């Protein structure tokens, strides 16, 4: 804002009222009388934003009246399309007017003129009187009035920050040379919100181009003969309409209202009057903010919105009474002490106290759930149950960094444990501002994950389960999920302080509750040596990200589109008819009614023919059209899911993709990858593998390096079962699938044919997942009898594996869980179920979970140890991806051999089993080449 002493804010009442209405339309704020107070609440917050942050010397609010204006008289359709005023707004307006009067702010209105005209007139008069003027409205039309001293002030809304527009901003936004041309732009393109017609066929870009040549609407109409084609025709036909539209869009600046400077002085509210309206509306939070006192009356249990607001304040110690019916405590029924910390001195004191602790909890409040896009709104700390401290941060990055610098040392203290709920998110947010969280961590989400891998792990669920406490929902502050949801930047710091303080406080309490159970169950080592140390490793990998070659993806997209179209034409030729291949209904009718590929086709529950990949795969060997449809689907899926989607996920900050690795999703212990899901990038087909060509090093002096565990799950099976033949084969470095084929099919190793090896490979991996003869038969496209014979032969040759499987299932039936080599558990609640299908599924999990879970633990340990080694060596190279059993690195060319030698060594030594681990590794100019 200007530093001039005299500043005038002119507020467009109805524009701000409608804005408040839409902000709360999906999340009504009802008081105990059932009155929807959302409009009043939003409008009051807007007033307070201006008064508290901008501290105007003068202020006024302009209203429209119901009387028609000259615009209605000149053009009867002006605003005629607008729907009837919503009932909530009609009910709210008298309250809004009373609120304005309570703030002792003058209301200015004039029959025959809109609020725009009143604001325009007062702005010009105030400018002449030496004021700096801010026209507060979201209405873009006001840009025409902007001068060196008059600004358009668009208030913050739904996650957007305040936008102050001067001459430069207005001309840039509209792509015009002078602000007065805003009127011409509206005259040419029209304004749908006011039903101003403009000239057909002229949009913003065309309008800007025409104005650069001719200057005004009038000159464009006058020179219509210099235009061409349809544009000339439209201007000649509708030119007068364009000139009329410009007049309708012109804000009048000579309304007969006087600029009464003394009357516009802002010197505070009329306390009794304003308190009365706040009490009636039950604005507890706002009462606290404005007058630093609470409202005694408590709303009924059914009241929404303000029930939460009732207990917030800048620094609150609340002693509530237990609710009459709920089994859970909440913020209204417990004692707490949550502080809003805003001064530099308070922050420095807090940092000193944090430095004295053995552990503390911290939590970030941000503008986004995506850590790499999020801006910090505030930081909460808690180190004593029931007490928390919240530090709001401004929007300016430089100012945020200055605040964080105060806490930099304590956050990096290697001797203090940092507690958090999904703390990786908070760590990455702080990394974006140059702050590294170091030292031991304790993540309550992960603590619960090892206790119950298949349960919910979010804080609200854990609070209810372990603390019998129901936290405030974020939707209380920013509205329900959806496009219109706001963010924490929209919420006053005093309200965020309670929400954020509660989060930190609950997480601290959960840490103690959960750890008691962790110790009882014997999971401390799993957390302390694997899950917790992995968090900073993943945070670092996510922060680094991976570079994508956009041009390579663009070429792939065109290639896949061309191939899909070719496959489509071939499908039409084979079918003898054109149809929507993507429609299961139409596809089923073509395959099974028209072409009659099978006698008794399978149907879905809805009665349609089943056309899934499994069905088409079984048909593909006998019917070329099925194979061609699979090919078409592959092109379509690769193009839409990866090739066209990946560029949209590139972060503008560093032009890299940053996936989100999630530790607490897969019940087996494996990491999952999200946004994008790198685990699912195809590798089995040539077309799928081609996508990896687009993953490239960060710079010319780097290469990608891939290190992949070879057959890790089979090696674990061999070690767990103690099967001497398989162990020996791995120790000797023999081809395990050829060795298996030699034994199963009874032929010397050198006589094993490719088909035999393929079948043996399918059995080797299938056994891990408890494959049946039916499943193996389908996978190999052989009869169930042949598949059954192969499995029987396999178990005869490898009896220790069969004994291991039977032993694991028997123990699982007794314990109702299985464990990995490192003590991770998978609970199997259906292992003794009477239902054979449910029981069979649990038995297969009993066999697979210890194997897959141990493989997951091994690569996690390797990642931790590799990162420790790389940090110790202070390398330029970075670990950037983890996909299944593979690690991918951005390696500086000068460090090639050093990285290769040590990464392979660390990965192979990560676990000590009877069977040695083997790592395949390679370098390349892209991921495919390295792999």
């Amino acid at each position: 804002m200007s530093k001039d002493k005299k500043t005038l804010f002119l507020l467009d009442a109805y524009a701000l009222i409608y804005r408040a209405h839409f902000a709360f339309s999906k999340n009504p704020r009802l008081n105990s009388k059932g009155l929807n107070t959302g409009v009043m609440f939003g409008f009051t917050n807007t007033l307070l934003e201006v008064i508290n942050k901008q501290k105007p010397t003068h202020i006024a609010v302009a209203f429209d009246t119901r009387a028609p204006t000259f615009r209605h008289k000149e053009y009867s359709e002006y605003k005629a399309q607008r729907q009837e005023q919503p009932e909530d707004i009609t009910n709210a307006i008298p309250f809004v007017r009373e609120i304005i009067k309570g703030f002792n702010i003058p209301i200015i209105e004039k029959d025959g003129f809109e609020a725009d005209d009143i604001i325009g007139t007062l702005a010009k008069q105030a400018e002449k009187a030496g004021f700096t003027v801010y026209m507060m409205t979201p209405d873009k039309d006001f840009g025409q009035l902007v001068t060196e001293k008059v600004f358009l002030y668009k208030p913050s809304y739904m996650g957007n920050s305040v936008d102050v527009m001067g001459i430069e901003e207005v001309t840039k936004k509209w792509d015009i040379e002078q602000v007065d041309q805003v009127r011409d732009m509206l005259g040419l393109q029209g304004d749908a919100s006011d039903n101003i017609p403009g000239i057909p066929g002229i949009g913003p870009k065309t309008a800007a181009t025409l104005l650069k040549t001719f200057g005004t609407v009038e000159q464009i109409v006058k020179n219509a003969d210099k235009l061409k084609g349809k544009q000339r025709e439209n201007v000649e036909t509708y030119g007068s309409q364009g000139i009329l539209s410009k007049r309708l869009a012109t804000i009048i600046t000579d309304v007969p209202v006087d600029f009464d400077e003394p009357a516009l002085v802002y010197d505070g509210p009329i306390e009794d009057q304003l308190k009365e309206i706040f009490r009636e509306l039950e604005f507890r939070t706002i009462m606290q903010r404005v007058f630093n006192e609470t409202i005694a009356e408590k709303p009924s249990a059914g009241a929404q919105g303000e029930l939460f607001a009732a207990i917030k304040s800048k620094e609150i110690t609340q002693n509530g009474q237990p609710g009459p019916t709920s089994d859970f405590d909440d913020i209204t029924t417990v004692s707490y002490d949550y502080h809003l910390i805003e001064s530099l001195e308070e922050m420095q004191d807090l940092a000193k106290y944090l430095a004295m602790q053995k552990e503390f909890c911290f939590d970030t409040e941000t503008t986004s759930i995506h850590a790499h896009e999020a801006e910090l709104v505030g930081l909460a700390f808690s180190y004593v149950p029931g007490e928390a401290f919240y530090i709001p941060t401004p929007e300016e990055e430089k100012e945020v960094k200055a605040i964080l610098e105060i806490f930099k040392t304590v956050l990096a203290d290697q001797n203090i444990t940092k507690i958090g709920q999904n703390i990786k998110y908070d760590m990455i947010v702080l990394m974006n501002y140059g702050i590294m969280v170091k030292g031991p961590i304790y993540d309550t989400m992960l603590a619960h994950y090892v206790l119950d891998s298949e349960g919910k792990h979010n804080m609200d669920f854990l609070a209810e389960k372990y603390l019998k406490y129901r936290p405030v929902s974020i939707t209380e502050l920013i509205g329900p999920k959806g496009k219109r949801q706001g963010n924490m930047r929209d919420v006053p710091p005093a309200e965020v302080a309670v929400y954020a303080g509660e989060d930190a406080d609950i997480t601290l309490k959960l840490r103690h509750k959960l750890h008691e159970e962790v110790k009882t169950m014997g999971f401390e080592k799993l957390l302390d040596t694997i899950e917790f140390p992995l968090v900073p490793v993943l945070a670092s990998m996510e922060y680094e990200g991976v570079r994508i070659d956009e041009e390579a993806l663009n070429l792939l997209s065109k290639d896949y589109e061309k191939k899909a179209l070719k496959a489509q034409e071939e499908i039409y030729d084979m079918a003898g008819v054109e149809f929507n291949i993507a429609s299961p209904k139409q596809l089923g009718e073509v395959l099974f009614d028209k072409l009659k590929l099978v006698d008794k086709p399978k149907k879905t529950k809805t009665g349609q023919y089943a056309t899934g990949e499994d069905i088409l795969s079984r048909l593909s060997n006998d019917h070329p059209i099925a194979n061609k449809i699979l090919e078409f689907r592959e092109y379509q899926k690769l193009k839409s899911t990866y090739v066209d989607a990946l560029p949209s996920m590139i972060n503008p900050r560093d032009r890299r993709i940053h996936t989100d690795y999630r530790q607490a999703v897969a019940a087996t212990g494996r990491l999952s990858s999200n946004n994008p899901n790198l685990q699912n990038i195809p590798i089995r087909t040539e077309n799928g593998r081609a996508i990896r060509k687009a993953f490239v090093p960060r710079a010319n002096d780097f290469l990608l390096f891939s290190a992949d565990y070879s057959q890790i799950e089979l090696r674990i099976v061999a070690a767990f079962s103690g099967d001497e033949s398989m162990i020996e084969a791995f120790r000797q470095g023999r081809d395990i699938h050829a060795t298996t084929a030699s034994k199963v099919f009874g032929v010397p190793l050198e006589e094993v044919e490719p088909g035999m090896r393929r079948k043996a490979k399918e059995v080797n991996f299938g056994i891990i997942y408890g494959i049946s003869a039916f499943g193996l038969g389908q996978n190999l496209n052989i009869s169930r009898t042949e598949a059954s014979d192969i499995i029987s032969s396999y178990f005869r040759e490898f009896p220790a594996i069969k004994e291991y499987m039977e032993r694991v299932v028997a123990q699982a039936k007794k314990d109702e869980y299985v464990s990995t080599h490192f003590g991770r558990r998978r609970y199997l609640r259906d292992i003794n179920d009477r239902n054979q299908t449910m029981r069979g599924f649990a038995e297969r999990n009993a066999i697979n979970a210890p194997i897959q879970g141990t493989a997951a633990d091994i690569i996690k340990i390797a990642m931790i140890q590799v990162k420790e080694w790389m940090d110790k060596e202070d390398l330029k190279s970075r670990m950037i991806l983890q996909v299944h059993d593979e690690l991918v690195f951005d390696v500086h060319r000068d460090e090639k051999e050093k990285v290769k030698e040590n990464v392979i060594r660390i990965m192979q030594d990560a676990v000590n089993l009877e069977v040695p681990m083997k790592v395949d590794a390679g370098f390349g100019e892209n991921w495919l080449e390295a792999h």
Side-chain angles (χ1 to χ4, degrees):
M1 295 294 99
S2 170
K3 294 182 180 180
D4 289 1
K5 289 182 179 179
K6 294 198 295 184
T7 57
L8 170 65
F9 267 77
L10 298 169
L11 280 60
D12 183 353
Y14 272 94
L16 298 174
I17 285 169
Y18 269 84
R19 171 181 171 275
H21 165 72
F22 287 117
F24 291 100
S25 60
K26 291 186 179 179
N27 185 33
R29 303 177 68 91
L30 305 181
N31 68 5
S32 60
K33 302 179 187 71
L35 175 67
N36 186 349
T37 63
V39 170
M40 299 78 109
F41 186 83
F43 190 93
T44 306
N45 269 332
T46 300
L47 269 182
L48 289 174
E49 175 187 304
V50 172
I51 292 167
N52 294 336
K53 290 185 178 180
Q54 309 308 333
K55 304 189 185 312
T57 59
H58 297 67
I59 189 168
V61 179
F63 271 78
D64 298 331
T65 69
R66 292 186 176 275
T69 69
F70 75 94
R71 296 180 181 90
H72 297 92
K73 294 173 183 176
E74 188 166 1
Y75 183 58
S76 61
E77 296 301 307
Y78 181 68
K79 294 188 177 181
Q81 90 294 356
R82 289 195 174 181
Q83 296 179 356
E84 187 176 343
Q85 183 170 280
E87 185 179 349
D88 285 342
I89 289 181
T90 302
N91 294 336
I93 286 172
F95 289 99
V96 169
R97 294 177 76 94
E98 288 303 310
I99 289 166
I100 296 168
K101 291 174 184 176
F103 274 99
N104 200 19
I105 295 172
I107 291 174
I108 305 176
E109 51 196 350
K110 187 79 173 176
D111 282 349
F113 298 93
E114 295 183 42
D116 306 28
D117 305 316
I118 294 169
I119 291 173
T121 300
L122 293 176
K124 294 298 182 184
Q125 292 178 8
E127 182 183 20
K128 290 178 182 177
F131 279 77
T132 299
V133 183
Y134 297 94
M135 304 175 293
M136 186 169 178
T137 176
D139 190 344
K140 61 185 183 302
D141 301 11
F142 279 81
Q144 64 188 267
L145 300 174
V146 166
T147 68
E148 293 291 339
K149 286 285 191 176
V150 178
F151 298 88
L152 174 54
Y153 183 102
K154 300 175 78 171
S156 59
Y157 182 63
M158 305 298 280
N160 297 319
S161 59
V162 168
D163 190 9
V164 179
M165 302 182 73
I167 294 172
E168 182 181 348
E169 291 81 7
V170 170
T171 53
K172 183 178 180 182
K173 180 178 179 64
W174 289 88
D175 191 18
I176 53 180
E177 293 175 357
Q178 53 192 30
V179 296
D180 188 59
Q181 288 178 312
V182 169
R183 301 182 305 135
D184 298 279
M185 289 291 289
L186 293 168
L188 290 170
Q189 70 183 49
D191 187 349
S193 64
D194 288 342
N195 209 31
I196 295 175
I199 296 177
I202 296 183
K205 289 185 178 179
T206 304
T209 302
L210 289 171
L211 289 174
K212 283 182 174 65
T213 304
F214 300 103
T216 66
V217 175
E218 291 82 357
Q219 285 300 313
I220 293 168
V221 173
K222 187 176 179 180
N223 290 280
D225 60 324
K226 296 178 182 176
L227 306 177
K228 295 180 181 179
K230 188 68 175 176
Q231 190 176 89
R232 173 177 176 173
E233 181 183 331
N234 282 340
V235 171
E236 287 177 341
T237 306
Y238 298 101
S240 59
Q241 182 172 289
I243 294 169
L244 168 64
S245 296
K246 177 179 176 178
R247 278 204 306 274
L248 297 175
T250 298
I251 296 174
I252 302 302
T253 58
D254 57 357
V255 177
V257 291
D258 294 325
F259 175 62
D260 187 354
E261 182 175 332
L264 303 185
V265 171
Y266 183 71
D267 52 11
I270 305 170
E271 284 198 18
D272 292 345
Q273 193 173 328
L274 194 55
K275 285 179 180 178
E276 184 178 346
I277 189 71
F278 283 177
R279 288 192 188 98
E280 185 176 354
L281 296 173
E282 297 170 7
F283 281 3
R284 292 167 176 78
T285 310
I286 292 176
M287 180 74 91
Q288 175 69 37
R289 288 167 60 197
V290 177
F291 300 112
N292 198 29
E293 67 180 62
T294 57
I295 298 172
E297 305 90 68
K298 183 177 179 180
S300 67
Q304 300 176 34
E306 283 302 310
L307 177 62
F308 163 44
I311 42 70
K312 300 184 185 75
S313 70
K314 180 175 178 181
E315 182 171 333
I316 314 163
T317 302
Q318 174 79 29
N319 293 298
Q321 299 300 315
T325 58
S326 176
D327 292 332
F328 295 92
D329 276 318
D330 62 26
I331 197 106
T332 68
T333 66
V334 298
S335 298
Y336 61 88
D337 198 4
Y338 299 158
H339 308 266
L340 179 62
I341 304 297
E342 293 184 292
S343 74
L344 181 64
E345 185 180 2
E346 288 176 317
M347 293 179 202
Q348 291 169 338
D349 286 345
L350 175 58
K352 290 176 185 176
Y353 282 113
L354 291 172
M356 299 175 188
Q357 310 307 315
K358 291 183 179 179
E359 62 181 28
F360 61 76
C361 177
F362 81 95
D363 179 54
T364 59
E365 296 302 334
T366 66
T367 59
S368 171
I369 60 172
H370 303 296
H372 304 284
E373 302 169 7
E375 295 176 16
L376 190 67
V377 174
L379 196 60
F381 293 96
S382 179
Y383 56 87
V384 176
E387 186 174 23
F389 305 84
Y390 177 69
I391 303 98
T393 55
E395 291 184 58
E396 180 61 44
E397 185 177 344
K398 187 177 179 181
E399 295 177 33
V400 177
K401 287 182 174 180
I403 290 173
L404 291 177
E405 192 68 27
I406 298 168
F407 300 96
K408 181 177 182 178
T409 300
V410 73
L411 285 167
D413 194 315
Q414 297 280 7
N415 299 312
I416 302 175
T417 299
K418 285 71 178 190
I419 302 163
Q421 165 76 14
N422 188 18
I423 199 170
K424 173 168 68 71
Y425 172 89
D426 305 290
M427 294 170 75
I428 294 171
V429 169
L430 294 180
M431 288 169 78
N432 292 334
Y433 291 90
I435 300 297
M436 301 299 295
V437 177
K438 298 179 182 178
I441 66 151
Y442 197 100
D443 192 322
T444 50
M445 177 184 74
L446 296 179
H448 188 256
Y449 171 64
V450 301
L451 290 168
D452 180 10
S453 61
E454 294 185 82
K456 295 179 181 178
H457 314 298
N458 64 76
M459 191 197 73
D460 288 3
F461 172 79
L462 298 181
E464 291 188 11
K465 179 178 179 180
Y466 289 94
L467 305 176
K468 298 301 178 188
Y469 183 90
R470 188 163 285 152
V472 171
S473 169
I474 191 170
T475 58
E476 290 276 4
L477 278 80
I478 64 174
K481 290 182 179 179
K483 291 182 179 179
R484 300 190 69 84
Q485 187 178 53
N487 65 51
M488 283 297 182
R489 192 78 78 190
D490 304 327
V491 184
E495 294 186 27
V496 183
V498 176
Y499 174 84
E502 183 190 58
D503 275 2
D505 182 23
I506 288 172
T507 303
L508 181 69
K509 292 172 181 173
L510 282 172
R511 178 257 189 272
H512 300 299
K513 280 281 187 182
L514 286 166
H515 197 61
E516 291 173 14
E517 194 168 332
V518 165
K519 286 193 292 184
T520 302
M521 300 299 291
F523 292 142
E524 281 182 288
K525 186 176 181 181
L526 178 62
L527 283 172
D528 292 341
T529 61
I530 298 180
E531 294 297 348
F532 290 162
L534 184 65
V535 173
V537 178
L538 295 177
S540 173
M541 290 168 63
E542 290 183 29
Y543 180 78
E544 293 295 336
V546 59
R547 186 173 158 231
I548 298 292
D549 184 341
E550 294 179 71
E551 182 56 32
L553 287 176
N554 185 41
L555 292 173
L556 264 183
S557 180
K558 292 175 181 176
D559 182 48
Y560 289 161
E561 184 173 8
K562 183 178 178 182
K563 288 177 177 177
L565 287 171
K566 185 173 183 293
Q568 177 178 275
E569 290 305 316
E570 291 176 4
I571 291 167
Y572 291 161
D573 289 343
M574 293 179 192
V577 64
E578 292 190 8
F579 63 99
N580 183 359
I581 303 170
S583 165
K585 184 175 185 295
Q586 292 185 35
L587 178 59
E589 289 169 354
V590 169
L591 295 181
F592 304 119
D593 286 340
K594 185 176 188 299
L595 300 181
K596 300 187 184 302
L597 297 190
V598 292
D599 294 331
K600 294 181 179 179
K602 184 179 178 181
K603 291 191 175 183
T604 66
K605 291 179 181 179
T606 60
Q608 289 186 18
Y609 292 117
T611 58
E613 187 175 344
D614 56 336
I615 302 290
L616 294 174
S617 295
R618 288 202 294 274
L619 295 172
S620 61
N621 287 333
D622 301 319
H623 303 283
I625 192 172
N627 194 55
K628 192 56 67 174
I629 291 165
L630 287 171
E631 184 183 326
F632 172 81
R633 283 182 176 178
E634 182 187 20
Y635 294 135
Q636 294 278 59
K637 181 177 180 181
L638 292 175
K639 185 176 186 299
S640 62
T641 307
Y642 302 107
V643 177
D644 291 345
L646 285 172
S648 68
M649 298 180 186
I650 294 174
N651 190 300
R653 173 174 59 85
D654 56 11
R655 306 306 301 168
R656 297 179 198 161
I657 278 180
H658 302 265
T659 189
D660 173 17
Y661 287 110
R662 298 185 176 180
Q663 285 175 262
V665 174
T668 57
R670 278 195 177 276
L671 293 173
S672 66
S673 168
N674 184 60
N675 196 35
N677 183 352
L678 301 179
Q679 309 279 14
N680 281 358
I681 291 180
I683 192 63
R684 293 191 175 184
T685 67
E686 184 179 346
N687 288 314
R689 285 193 295 273
I691 294 171
R692 297 189 176 209
K693 288 182 182 177
F695 288 74
V696 295
R698 64 184 56 202
N700 291 334
D701 49 353
F702 282 78
L703 286 168
L704 288 192
F705 172 61
S706 168
D708 193 358
Y709 278 115
S710 173
Q711 301 168 332
I712 186 172
E713 292 186 352
L714 288 181
R715 292 169 187 271
I716 292 167
V717 169
F720 282 6
S721 67
D723 189 278
E724 291 298 334
S725 311
M726 198 171 274
I727 290 172
E728 187 60 22
F730 278 124
R731 283 177 174 169
Q732 296 298 321
R734 293 200 299 268
D735 182 333
I736 190 62
H737 301 311
T739 300
T740 301
S742 172
K743 287 183 170 291
V744 169
F745 296 106
V747 298
L749 187 62
E750 60 273 13
E751 294 180 20
V752 170
E753 297 174 357
M756 293 177 181
R757 185 184 183 280
R758 183 173 67 86
K759 290 177 180 178
K761 181 179 180 180
E762 198 70 42
V763 178
N764 272 332
F765 287 114
I767 289 298
I768 298 170
Y769 294 91
I771 199 167
S772 64
F774 175 76
L776 182 63
Q778 281 195 319
N779 290 353
L780 292 174
N781 202 26
I782 59 178
S783 69
R784 190 184 302 189
T785 302
E786 185 182 352
S788 181
D789 290 343
I790 291 174
I791 290 174
S792 297
S793 178
Y794 182 93
F795 284 139
R796 278 197 304 273
E797 294 300 325
F798 301 104
I801 291 178
K802 184 172 178 61
E803 289 169 12
Y804 163 73
M805 292 167 65
E806 291 171 345
R807 184 170 69 249
V808 167
V809 171
Q811 190 65 41
K813 287 181 180 292
K814 180 181 176 183
D815 299 335
E816 295 196 341
Y817 68 83
V818 289
S819 299
T820 70
H821 181 73
F822 299 94
R824 184 187 304 279
R825 288 185 187 177
R826 173 80 182 271
Y827 289 94
L828 304 164
R829 296 171 178 87
D830 300 322
I831 194 74
N832 294 305
D833 200 287
R834 293 182 185 180
N835 183 296
Q836 186 176 345
T837 302
M838 300 291 287
R839 188 174 67 250
F841 182 73
E843 289 174 356
R844 288 191 291 277
N845 274 336
I847 295 166
N848 171 250
I851 299 163
Q852 197 176 118
T854 298
D857 289 339
I858 290 171
I859 198 163
K860 285 179 177 179
I861 292 168
M863 292 167 73
I864 294 164
Q865 293 179 354
V866 166
K867 182 67 165 59
E868 285 177 354
W869 171 77
M870 294 181 81
D871 287 347
K872 185 179 177 182
E873 295 292 319
D874 194 23
L875 300 179
K876 298 173 187 174
S877 304
R878 296 288 185 268
M879 181 162 51
I880 56 171
L881 294 178
Q882 187 272 346
V883 180
H884 302 307
D885 305 319
E886 177 186 10
L887 298 179
V888 181
F889 301 79
D890 245 332
V891 175
H892 195 275
R893 293 176 189 268
D894 294 344
E895 299 168 352
K896 269 183 67 176
E897 294 310 314
K898 186 175 188 177
V899 169
K900 180 180 179 180
E901 176 188 345
N902 285 280
V903 167
I904 291 174
R905 171 184 60 79
I906 292 168
M907 288 177 72
Q908 291 183 164
D909 293 346
V911 64
N912 183 22
L913 296 175
E914 276 195 83
V915 178
M917 294 293 111
K918 182 175 182 292
V919 173
D920 296 325
F923 288 93
E925 297 292 344
N926 58 62
W927 186 10
L928 180 62
E929 196 177 300
H931 189 80

